[in-house]
Amino acid sequence: MKTNALDTMTITDVQFLPIVKEYARKINLVGTINRLVETDMEISPGTVVLGMVLDTLSGRSPLYRLMDFLEEKDTELLLGESIPASRFSDHTVGRALDKIYEGGTQKIFGQLSQNAVGGFQIETSGAHFDTTSIRVYGDYDMQDKPFKITYGHSKDHRPDLKQFLIEMLCVDRNIPLFGRTRDGNASDKTLNNELLTTVSKHMADHGIDRNAFVYVADSAFVTTENLVKAGEDIKFLSRLPATFKECGRVINDAVERNEWVGMGVIAETDETSKRPSACYKAFDTTVVLAETTYRAIVVHSSAHDKRRQKRIDNHLEKNKKDLEKRVKKILAETYFCEEDASAAAEKLSRLPNRTDCYIIQTTVNEIRKYRRGRPKHDEERNVDRLEYTVDVLLIEDESKIENLRLEAGCFVLLTNLSSSMEKTAWSPKDLLALYKNQAGIERNFGFLKNPVIINSIFLKKNSRIEVLGMILLISLLIWRLIERTMRQYLDQEQTTITGWVRRKTKRPTAFMMSTKFHTILIIKMKNKRLLARPLKPVQLDYLRALDIDPNV
């Protein structure tokens, strides 16, 4: 019986996943994991991880039952070999996760990030560190290694749920170089201290000299212990917490001296009418912490924090009420000589202290008191005595309030980088731009917490959760490499690409790219594959920016 060609034809929805697979190939994902993980399983651990990465970035939720995800997929196209989806059972995947844990998640991810640094020429001069909490539902009473799931300070504002932490070290703004899971109640200050011991080794593993990078962290880094451990060997940049007296001192000094250096606009995105770009100015000075002098950059932003300005408004209102309460007794008194009234008025004018934001303006009023009874027709009323009262007018001290609002728009960067180092002179603008790149790691945490990526942790073994954390980091690494490649291409070619709602953009996101390939269908007949419809011009533009041949 002759076989109809239609009987062997299959149509699969691949969307943008071949692009993810191609970037996984560029960092040698499968080969690296298979080399580092010893196993005799029929399905290689590298293939399992690739399948889970594709599952993670596909937006399918929740992240489990890999078999269901691959059931309707062309596994030969996406995984590089034709494997029945039935082989990716939960039991098989669980065994693979156990083998990967034995191989060492940090070693595996470290090698993959090293592949990315070399293959994509990643800029490694600034290493950004931060942590985030991942909440879990359930008891999770097991306390087996490598970390503890427990209650702690919740960055998701869910103290009722147990959690674990993910710490991350990123370079080139948001490319993850190192990451691992930690105890749910671990302190950022302690984690910073521990990483300072090993950060030079992490960078050396990637062929980076410790003098060629700057460790960037948020204000949790600034403790006496961490500053001492950093010493002169580790160059760092952080934000001085307001809890340090030196922070308030240098901000007051900067405002009083008014010797600012303009830095202009640093934002890379274009401003809009509703969201104008912040304009910065800086004051370069020093502070003494732990008996050591450090460089401090007082930075003022024109985009004042609304919460800070609201706090000042509340302070002004409270200050006015306090002053009114303090002068009420004097205002209620009546004086029988002008000298006493003038003395009271002078006392009131001296009442405001250094922290008050109002000037008290006083007026002495003369009140005539007449004798009782009506005067005769041709006589004037006789004055019996004179009394005096004091009136008060509270006037805002504009210069003091202006300084107060100016101080509210300031923060302090702390560093041991000199302004005249041998190889590189770090200007305040350079330091601010480097610190603002810390926002990249915050966006990475947003990726890890996105319910489209992962909405719940279904694994019940801490070791497997650690491997899942590594898979999420790998997914993030590929996602950021995709985004970085597109933006670099547009910068080099001085061109734009179609973004949202047919608008042109210079800064496309990986998610933006993914939406352009939602309609891609692949027709397979025997060993031949065809696109159900030709690629659109916008899709070809994205593939060009991604440096990917359409044949993938």
Side-chain angles (χ1 to χ4, degrees), residues 54-67:
L54 293 169
D55 188 12
T56 299
L57 296 178
S58 71
R60 189 184 76 98
S61 184
L63 181 61
Y64 77 121
R65 292 192 63 81
L66 186 60
M67 181 172 58

Side-chain angles (χ1 to χ4, degrees), residues 291-431:
E291 300 181 351
T292 304
T293 301
Y294 295 96
R295 186 180 177 193
I297 311 296
V298 181
V299 180
H300 176 268
S301 169
S302 62
H304 292 297
D305 189 322
K306 291 183 179 179
R307 290 176 298 176
R308 292 182 179 180
Q309 297 304 316
K310 181 66 176 177
R311 197 179 302 133
I312 292 176
D313 293 337
N314 293 337
H315 170 73
L316 292 176
E317 184 178 353
K318 183 178 181 297
N319 187 195
K320 187 174 183 178
K321 289 181 178 179
D322 289 342
L323 285 174
E324 289 174 344
K325 185 177 180 180
R326 287 154 65 185
V327 304
K328 185 176 181 180
K329 182 178 179 181
I330 297 178
L331 294 179
E333 289 188 20
T334 300
Y335 301 90
F336 298 99
C337 71
E338 187 174 1
E339 290 77 7
D340 290 345
S342 298
E346 185 179 356
K347 182 180 179 181
L348 281 175
S349 63
R350 297 197 306 266
L351 192 61
N353 56 40
R354 189 177 62 85
T355 61
D356 288 323
C357 299
Y358 288 90
I359 299 172
I360 296 182
Q361 189 176 80
T362 59
T363 304
V364 176
N365 299 317
E366 180 184 271
I367 303 175
R368 295 182 178 185
K369 293 292 183 177
Y370 297 95
R371 293 178 181 177
R372 299 177 68 180
R374 294 179 64 180
K376 295 181 179 180
H377 177 69
D378 55 346
E379 292 182 357
E380 294 182 355
R381 296 182 66 185
N382 293 324
V383 177
D384 183 40
R385 65 184 185 279
L386 295 176
E387 294 181 357
Y388 300 89
T389 59
V390 179
D391 284 344
V392 167
L393 179 63
L394 298 180
I395 302 174
E396 290 186 354
D397 190 336
E398 293 183 0
S399 62
K400 187 175 289 187
I401 293 175
E402 182 182 356
N403 287 346
L404 196 63
R405 294 194 183 278
L406 192 63
E407 291 176 7
C410 294
F411 60 91
V412 181
L413 296 179
L414 183 73
T415 184
N416 57 358
L417 292 166
S418 169
S419 59
S420 57
M421 298 182 70
E422 295 181 3
K423 295 182 179 180
T424 306
W426 289 91
S427 68
K429 188 172 183 178
D430 294 333
L431 293 172

